Amino acid sequence: MIAVVSALGMTAVLGGCGSTGSSDVTLRLVAADYGDSDANSSRTYWDQLVKDYESRHKGVKVQVSVYSWNDVDRKVKQMVDAGDPPDMAQIGSYADYAAKGLLHKADDLLSISVQADLVGRLSEAGQLRHVQYGIPFAASTRVLFYNKELFAKANLTPPTTWDELAAGAHALKAEGVKYPYALPLGPEEAQAETMQWLLSGGSGYTDDFGAYSIDSPRNVQTLTWLKDELVGKDLTGPVAPGRLNRADAFAAFAAGEVGMLNGHPTLMRQAAKKGVEFGMVPMPGRDGEAKATMGVTDWMMGFRGNGHQEQIGDFLDFVYSEKNVLDFSRRYDLLPVTGSASRTMAAADRDKNLRPFLEELPSTQLYPVGRTSWAGVAADVKKRIGRAVAPNGSPAAVLGRLQATAANAGTGD
């Protein structure tokens, strides 16, 4: 998941305004809610978009059901298992459905111009066995956030290496900062924080050929450094990393209690609401700026079986117009997934706060979402990774167990 996890869990069915007739088609879309309140629920975005679309397409109605991130993937699975899939779903993963032959190919839905406008790196991540089924919908990258006031008190400049980050954390601790560096390895989103650190250490979840390499020597070195130099020296705050969730770390940053942490664009608004002055820099690497940063994208997909391929494709062409992509990205402080919208955002003064994230996009590495085993591997990381940096933990043992589970699960990819 990219951004805030809404607790709304509501369904919105959006009606149309087109004329009816014998050829009328009703498309059903299940979508995730990126808002954090009724006022900015994704329902308002889809309501306006569908109204605009139906006014131009008299023979098509679109019903959109919006669910919280806690519920949306499960809801789609229930519909599919019941033999009644939606025409489209905008959710967190696509590979399982693609592997079962349930999805249209992106080629069969999108016009050539729209497909060519998608950011290449994101489109590639939407492929299963070299065929694209997942259409990127919204993206984010990670940068290092730091509290400017706390840094000024400790006479610090933003770190560019791990050693500088550790030295800064020591200085912040000496100033009484509650969380010098917040390290959220709790079950909410541990796979994200873990991946960012693995990338900054020069490795990742997979190798250059796409095979799982979770227990690579570099990854063991990275987790060992975290355990010894940050956690072991009491620089990560009063909550053990394995029990600290990302949402709680973000809330602590917005409360002025965190010196540094990895964050995505939605943290900007959260911190600004609380009056926290913050800066953003690329994630430090072992000896300099990390060569790659973590990116996340959510997915749009079209389900087969309802006989609406042409109408789904036409609607998605409208969804991925520059105007609509920009509107969604700006509403929720996310990165656009098309080149045209990205160029517009990069040049616009109103979007200057998102430029650090946009600049990270070309070098971003995404989860191995094209593997049907990834969901299980991610769940295993969430469950176990905190133990690797615990006082009596063994990074090598934990990563080794994760690798064994991943390798076994990956045989069916």
Side-chain angles (χ1 to χ4, degrees), residues 285-359:
R286 189 183 303 273
D287 300 309
E289 183 179 323
K291 292 182 175 63
T293 189
M294 189 193 73
V296 177
T297 187
D298 296 326
W299 303 99
M300 179 72 77
M301 62 212 71
F303 281 87
R304 302 171 60 192
N306 293 329
H308 299 153
Q309 176 182 326
E310 181 180 350
Q311 292 85 358
I312 293 171
D314 189 69
F315 178 68
L316 291 181
D317 276 357
F318 184 74
V319 169
Y320 283 89
S321 68
E322 180 180 345
K323 173 184 177 296
N324 289 326
V325 171
L326 278 172
D327 183 15
F328 185 86
S329 301
R330 284 167 169 163
R331 281 176 188 247
Y332 300 107
D333 289 328
L334 294 168
L335 303 184
V337 297
T338 62
S340 58
S342 295
R343 290 188 292 272
T344 297
M345 185 172 278
D349 235 20
R350 62 182 288 186
D351 301 312
K352 61 183 179 181
N353 286 341
L354 282 170
R355 286 175 192 161
F357 300 95
L358 279 169
E359 290 167 359

Side-chain angles (χ1 to χ4, degrees), residues 1-3 5 69-70 73 92 142 188-189 191 296 298 367:
M1 297 180 295
I2 288 181
V5 178
W69 272 113
N70 290 331
D73 290 281
R142 298 295 203 271
E188 178 196 352
E189 203 185 36
Q191 82 282 6
V296 177
D298 296 326
Y367 298 130

Side-chain angles (χ1 to χ4, degrees), residues 120-332:
R121 185 176 291 271
L122 303 182
S123 286
E124 290 171 8
Q127 296 179 2
L128 178 70
R129 302 184 185 99
H130 308 294
V131 177
Q132 184 180 356
Y133 297 94
I135 305 168
F137 182 74
S140 72
T141 57
R142 298 295 203 271
V143 298
L144 185 73
F145 281 72
Y146 64 95
N147 183 307
K148 286 186 174 181
E149 182 179 353
L150 297 179
F151 264 55
K153 286 182 178 178
N155 196 29
L156 292 173
T157 57
T160 60
T161 66
W162 287 0
D163 286 344
E164 290 178 6
L165 187 149
H170 277 288
L172 291 164
K173 181 184 177 183
E175 291 290 332
V177 176
K178 188 173 182 179
Y179 294 89
Y181 178 86
L183 183 65
L185 297 179
E188 178 196 352
E189 203 185 36
Q191 82 282 6
E193 182 74 12
T194 300
M195 182 171 173
Q196 182 60 75
W197 276 100
L198 299 185
L199 290 172
S200 72
S203 189
Y205 287 124
T206 57
D207 61 22
D208 293 340
F209 302 99
Y212 285 115
S213 58
I214 298 174
D215 63 345
S216 70
R218 281 185 177 270
N219 286 344
V220 173
Q221 291 168 9
T222 295
L223 269 292
T224 299
W225 187 89
L226 279 174
K227 178 179 183 291
D228 294 344
E229 302 302 325
L230 290 186
V231 182
K233 294 184 178 177
D234 197 24
L235 300 177
T236 55
V239 180
R243 296 200 304 270
L244 181 65
N245 281 325
R246 189 268 310 160
D248 296 327
F250 277 21
F253 186 84
E257 298 175 338
V258 175
M260 297 174 278
L261 84 169
N262 284 316
H264 51 62
T266 56
L267 181 56
M268 295 189 300
R269 182 179 301 182
Q270 190 174 349
K273 280 183 180 178
K274 297 290 187 177
V276 173
E277 291 190 27
F278 59 88
M280 300 178 293
V281 294
M283 175 65 181
R286 189 183 303 273
D287 300 309
E289 183 179 323
K291 292 182 175 63
T293 189
M294 189 193 73
V296 177
T297 187
D298 296 326
W299 303 99
M300 179 72 77
M301 62 212 71
F303 281 87
R304 302 171 60 192
N306 293 329
H308 299 153
Q309 176 182 326
E310 181 180 350
Q311 292 85 358
I312 293 171
D314 189 69
F315 178 68
L316 291 181
D317 276 357
F318 184 74
V319 169
Y320 283 89
S321 68
E322 180 180 345
K323 173 184 177 296
N324 289 326
V325 171
L326 278 172
D327 183 15
F328 185 86
S329 301
R330 284 167 169 163
R331 281 176 188 247
Y332 300 107

Side-chain angles (χ1 to χ4, degrees), residues 220 223-224 227 384-385 387-400:
V220 173
L223 269 292
T224 299
K227 178 179 183 291
R384 302 183 188 281
I385 199 66
R387 303 173 191 174
V389 298
N392 296 318
S394 167
V398 171
L399 293 177

